[in-house]
Amino acid sequence: MYVCICRGITDKQLIKSIDDGANTMKKLSGELGIGSQCGKCCQCAKKILNQTLIKQAQQQPLVA
């Protein structure tokens, strides 16, 4: 699904960028330009960012 119409960024592109290490909106904006035009995509992008980071954290082994 398209998250940012201005830049033509999809959710899959966002997730790939997050998986590659972009863990903040600032980093996503720097890499993909998300949120740099009209800003209407920011809320959806933040939601995808948070969900993806939570999934990554849950996949990490627990260390005692």
Side-chain angles (χ1 to χ4, degrees):
M1 129 182 110
Y2 279 95
V3 176
C4 179
I5 301 299
C6 298
R7 296 283 182 167
I9 306 297
T10 65
D11 58 339
K12 291 180 181 169
Q13 289 173 292
L14 275 177
I15 293 168
K16 182 180 181 331
S17 186
I18 296 165
D19 286 342
D20 290 343
N23 56 5
T24 64
M25 282 298 292
K26 186 174 183 175
K27 289 181 181 178
L28 285 175
S29 181
E31 287 183 21
L32 301 174
I34 195 128
S36 62
Q37 293 283 318
C38 73
K40 292 184 179 185
C41 60
C42 289
Q43 185 176 7
C44 184
K46 285 179 189 178
K47 184 176 180 180
I48 292 170
L49 174 64
N50 289 335
Q51 289 173 341
T52 305
L53 291 175
I54 289 169
K55 284 180 186 175
Q56 288 176 352
Q58 289 173 340
Q59 293 173 352
Q60 295 295 320
L62 297 176
V63 180

